[in-house]
Amino acid sequence: MTGRRVLLIEDDADLAGLLDRVLTDEGYGVTRAGDGHTGLHLALTQPFEVMIVDRGLPAVEGLDLIARLRGRGVSTPILVLSALSRTEDRVDGLDAGAEDYLAKPFELNELLARLRALLRRHLDHAAQLNVPGGSLDIATRSVRRTGGEAVELSEREAALLGLLAARPGVVFSRGELLDLVFDDAESETVVDTYVHYCRRKLGRGVISTVRGLGYRLGSS
Ligand code: CA
């Protein structure tokens, strides 16, 4: 896997460009959005390990965006950037569901240190993901069934199920799953094949088919 994927939602093009370069130099894979609407769409449809969200954004304001993401079950850690630095402003940001809040102007080294801290804390949480009938351990690529039995998954089975389990309720199209999990494959039928493998090992209900749209984590 390449570097940690960070979603940068910032409408100030100069600052976004600077942060993109610095983060890329640090080994992050950076995806940029210049408004809240685009950022929301990306955050709901693609996996990121961490997000940086400017508070003052066009289309969908930063704290509103964060509240909407949390309402949809997206638990990716978020660092808010804001020109507002009073205590009440920080409290607003944390109440909206952000993990950390950094007032502009800030030192780049402090931003990088805070991102590392967020990732460390989150990875401890993210090691286990709930799936129907048990929990998926990302590190060992195994599912611990509710009864105690462990089921081993292949790397791709675990990547597919892990992506769906990290966004319960979100429907991914076959094309999105092909891009995100099977980036060296050409045909969307490979997605169907691995859904079949996961179901064979873990039961049909582990992944739901949403007719005409794609797949999501099973709801049982
Ligand atoms: Ca702004």
Side-chain angles (χ1 to χ4, degrees):
M1 177 133 64
T2 52
R4 302 271 173 225
R5 290 157 299 196
V6 55
L7 176 59
L8 172 61
I9 311 176
E10 168 62 75
D11 62 315
D12 177 334
D14 290 341
L15 179 59
L18 171 67
L19 292 179
D20 191 344
R21 283 195 300 280
V22 169
L23 291 166
T24 302
D25 282 350
E26 289 291 313
Y28 290 91
V30 181
T31 300
R32 273 162 67 173
D35 67 82
H37 182 76
T38 307
L40 187 63
H41 175 74
L42 287 167
L44 287 171
T45 55
Q46 295 187 27
F48 296 98
E49 276 77 35
V50 67
M51 300 184 203
I52 301 171
V53 178
D54 179 37
R55 182 164 175 174
L57 287 171
V60 178
E61 187 269 333
L63 298 193
D64 183 23
L65 181 152
I66 293 167
R68 290 201 215 177
L69 288 178
R70 295 311 188 220
R72 294 284 305 272
V74 175
S75 60
T76 311
I78 296 175
L79 172 71
V80 174
L81 300 179
S82 175
L84 306 175
S85 60
R86 295 175 310 162
T87 302
E88 308 91 278
D89 299 319
R90 290 174 181 271
V91 169
D92 286 349
L94 300 176
D95 279 350
E99 274 68 28
D100 203 355
Y101 193 103
L102 190 56
K104 297 177 182 177
F106 52 84
E107 297 283 337
L108 288 170
N109 280 340
E110 180 171 9
L111 174 78
L112 294 172
R114 286 179 183 233
L115 284 182
R116 287 194 296 271
L118 278 182
L119 285 166
R120 275 197 303 273
R121 268 183 275 153
H122 188 69
L123 287 177
D124 291 340
H125 286 302
Q128 301 280 339
L129 292 166
N130 289 325
V131 298
S135 67
L136 169 64
D137 186 316
I138 297 291
T140 63
R141 300 201 302 253
S142 64
V143 170
R144 176 71 60 183
R145 308 291 286 269
T146 310
E149 169 203 6
V151 179
E152 305 296 323
L153 300 182
S154 72
E155 189 173 347
R156 284 176 155 193
E157 290 162 359
L160 173 65
L161 187 60
L163 179 69
L164 298 174
R167 300 281 185 283
V170 175
V171 179
F172 288 85
S173 71
R174 296 157 85 227
E176 285 170 341
L177 292 171
L178 184 71
D179 280 349
L180 295 169
V181 180
F182 306 96
D183 51 8
D184 57 345
E186 283 162 15
S187 164
E188 290 179 359
T189 58
V190 73
V191 175
D192 306 325
T193 301
Y194 277 86
V195 167
H196 170 74
Y197 290 158
C198 286
R199 286 173 170 165
R200 201 171 56 189
K201 287 187 176 178
L202 297 166
R204 277 204 65 76
V206 71
I207 295 173
S208 297
T209 302
V210 183
R211 277 183 74 91
L213 294 176
Y215 295 107
R216 67 171 170 75
L217 188 71
S219 53
S220 63

